[in-house]
Amino acid sequence: MLQTVWVSSPGSWALQESDCHRQGKKRNWKCRFVRTIIRHSCRRHAPKRSKKERMLRKIQICLCFCFVSGILYEISLLSSCVSSYLPMAQHYLTPEQVLNLGKSIIFLETTERLEPPPLVSCSVESAARIYQDRPIILFMRGLTNETALDLNTSYAAFSLLSSMKNVFIFPLQMETVFQETPLLQWYNQVVPEQEKNWVHVSSDASRLALIWKYGGIYMDTDVISIRPIPQDSFLAAQKSRFSSNGIFGFPARHKFVWDCMENFVLKYNGNIWGNQGPFLMTRMLKTLCNLTDFQGTEDHSCQNISFLNPQRFYPIPYPAWSRYYQVWDKSPNFNHSYALHLWNFMNRNRKVVVAGSNTLAEKLYKTYCPTTYEDLIQNAKHRDLPGPED
């Protein structure tokens, strides 16, 4: 048992003895030792001591210091043991508890799939590595509270991601997310089965509500982080005078995000792809700013909102998206970029990262999500192994 020493008043000491009870005439030797040290070292008005007594007092003080240092060392070891098991505590935290920590990086999966593909895993892993002091949250529509209990044993990607101490995977419960926002009324009236672009529209709405309530950065699940974003309030320019909604960040309760939610409902048209997403962000930004073309790698700013240069996230524009899956003679360094959007929506032929292909995407995996890449290699080896019938 650890004994606790504390100052109760100037010049007086108290000792809490949790195991220093009497057992007949015997008393714990540690307790007697500490009490003796404290009693002798804390007397203020003792008569002048002899040389021998002064030497004894110095020895007692040194021993007391060593004893207290030992206790503090044991406490530090205990603390390090506790912190090393933080990943286990993830399972006991609610989304609100994690989001309330502030400055979360938020990803959304609004399909029903439960096994994140490699690009999703790479996006989350790269963010976890770049933003090690911030919570990284993946919300999944197909996940329920029941399936959440079995993440590590059922799906390989869950085990990979949840092994990172700052990654959290939660069910996406839209009705809860939309509470206290203009989007709740819209959500209660809309019929998802009749919506042409429901996966995208529901994601557009969810990201607005989450960032408005809790603040932080939203990223699409095909965005690979390569360095921290320095701005707190920002939109990402996909090209001059046009904003993406695939990456943006704001503090909680920011008026611009609230206005976007109101416009989402007022101008809702789920049949037009992007009407609730990049077109929404662009038209709302135009109400605040006189948008002009970018020159070089400069960023724009108005109303305390940074409108970041296309080079920050879209150095390869969407018409050239397939270049990520090609071999380059000399790979770009992306010195002006914070993250890279791999345009998965454009990837209709489902190009994937192949180990050993030497494509740009493979090099990005190796550098920014090495654990995902290693898992990719292992899966490829398993597929190449001959089966019993061979």
Side-chain angles (χ1 to χ4, degrees):
M1 297 291 289
L2 294 177
Q3 291 82 31
T4 304
V5 180
W6 75 95
V7 178
S8 57
S9 62
S12 64
W13 291 79
L15 176 66
Q16 180 180 347
E17 300 175 337
S18 55
D19 63 341
C20 296
H21 56 281
R22 293 178 177 274
Q23 297 177 357
K25 294 185 178 180
K26 294 182 179 180
R27 184 182 296 270
N28 186 295
W29 70 270
K30 290 184 181 179
C31 302
R32 296 202 310 273
F33 177 70
V34 174
R35 179 174 288 118
T36 300
I37 292 173
I38 293 173
R39 183 183 300 123
H40 285 281
S41 62
C42 298
R43 290 175 180 168
R44 285 192 166 190
H45 306 292
K48 188 173 182 180
R49 298 179 177 85
S50 65
K51 184 176 180 181
K52 182 177 180 181
E53 288 174 330
R54 289 198 300 272
M55 180 63 69
L56 178 61
R57 182 173 179 273
K58 290 180 181 179
I59 294 173
Q60 290 173 336
I61 292 174
C62 290
L63 290 174
C64 183
F65 176 79
C66 293
F67 182 79
V68 173
S69 298
I71 292 177
L72 293 175
Y73 177 70
E74 290 180 5
I75 293 174
S76 69
L77 290 179
L78 181 62
S79 299
S80 64
C81 291
V82 171
S83 62
S84 67
Y85 283 95
L86 279 178
M88 296 179 62
Q90 293 176 358
H91 304 294
Y92 304 102
L93 295 173
T94 66
E96 289 75 18
Q97 289 172 326
V98 177
L99 288 163
N100 283 329
L101 295 174
K103 293 191 174 183
S104 298
I105 311 295
I106 297 173
F107 295 89
L108 294 174
E109 175 60 75
T110 51
T111 70
E112 294 292 330
R113 66 184 176 189
L114 285 173
E115 176 66 354
L119 182 53
V120 175
S121 177
C122 183
S123 297
V124 176
E125 179 187 345
S126 65
R129 292 178 181 276
I130 296 299
Y131 303 95
Q132 296 186 20
D133 60 339
R134 302 175 70 162
I136 313 299
I137 307 175
L138 172 60
F139 285 100
M140 302 190 71
R141 177 64 175 169
L143 200 61
T144 64
N145 289 329
E146 288 72 27
T147 55
L149 299 176
D150 199 29
L151 296 182
N152 293 333
T153 57
S154 300
Y155 303 103
F158 283 126
S159 178
L160 185 156
L161 294 175
S162 61
S163 65
M164 300 178 185
K165 64 180 182 180
N166 60 331
V167 173
F168 301 84
I169 304 174
F170 292 124
L172 175 60
Q173 299 171 332
M174 292 187 188
E175 186 170 358
T176 301
V177 168
F178 297 142
Q179 294 291 332
E180 301 177 4
T181 76
L183 297 168
L184 182 60
Q185 182 180 0
W186 160 80
Y187 180 73
N188 289 333
Q189 293 175 350
V190 75
V191 181
E193 294 77 14
Q194 297 177 3
E195 291 291 324
K196 179 181 177 181
N197 298 300
W198 178 247
V199 169
H200 302 290
V201 168
S202 59
S203 178
D204 292 336
S206 298
R207 68 189 71 175
L208 287 172
L210 285 166
I211 294 298
W212 182 78
K213 282 186 172 182
Y214 303 104
I217 296 175
Y218 167 81
M219 293 185 183
D220 277 350
T221 53
D222 55 352
V223 172
I224 297 179
S225 297
I226 61 177
R227 58 178 57 90
I229 303 169
Q231 290 84 357
D232 290 326
S233 300
F234 71 90
L235 293 173
Q238 185 172 312
K239 57 182 180 181
S240 286
R241 309 188 190 205
F242 189 79
S243 177
S244 162
N245 78 326
I247 311 168
F248 63 93
F250 288 94
R253 311 283 167 161
H254 196 283
K255 184 179 185 302
F256 178 81
V257 184
W258 179 269
D259 292 342
C260 285
M261 291 190 292
E262 289 188 328
N263 191 271
F264 183 105
V265 177
L266 182 65
K267 302 287 186 180
Y268 182 74
N269 187 338
N271 293 322
I272 302 176
W273 187 90
N275 186 63
Q276 319 309 131
F279 291 109
L280 166 67
M281 291 295 200
T282 301
R283 64 178 177 261
M284 294 306 297
L285 187 59
K286 285 181 177 179
T287 65
L288 300 178
C289 311
N290 180 25
L291 300 183
T292 59
D293 292 338
F294 287 94
Q295 303 295 328
T297 58
E298 66 178 3
D299 296 322
H300 291 173
S301 178
C302 75
Q303 302 289 328
N304 294 321
I305 298 175
S306 297
F307 191 38
L308 301 184
N309 192 289
Q311 288 295 316
R312 305 296 179 225
F313 307 104
Y314 302 100
I316 297 179
Y318 77 89
W321 69 269
S322 61
R323 298 200 66 190
Y324 280 114
Y325 299 92
Q326 296 174 1
V327 178
W328 291 52
D329 293 333
K330 183 180 180 181
S331 297
N333 53 37
F334 301 116
N335 285 339
H336 300 294
S337 301
Y338 302 135
L340 303 172
H341 196 292
L342 268 62
W343 304 106
N344 194 53
F345 180 72
M346 304 294 293
N347 189 2
R348 302 187 187 281
N349 293 327
R350 291 291 175 247
K351 293 181 182 294
V352 296
V353 172
V354 178
S357 62
N358 204 34
T359 61
L360 177 57
E362 184 195 13
K363 292 180 179 179
L364 294 174
Y365 273 47
K366 284 182 178 179
T367 304
Y368 300 108
C369 54
T371 306
T372 297
Y373 182 71
E374 183 64 28
D375 187 62
L376 200 69
I377 294 175
Q378 294 300 323
N379 290 337
K381 288 180 179 178
H382 289 316
R383 286 194 299 269
D384 293 339
L385 289 176
E389 66 276 6
D390 296 331

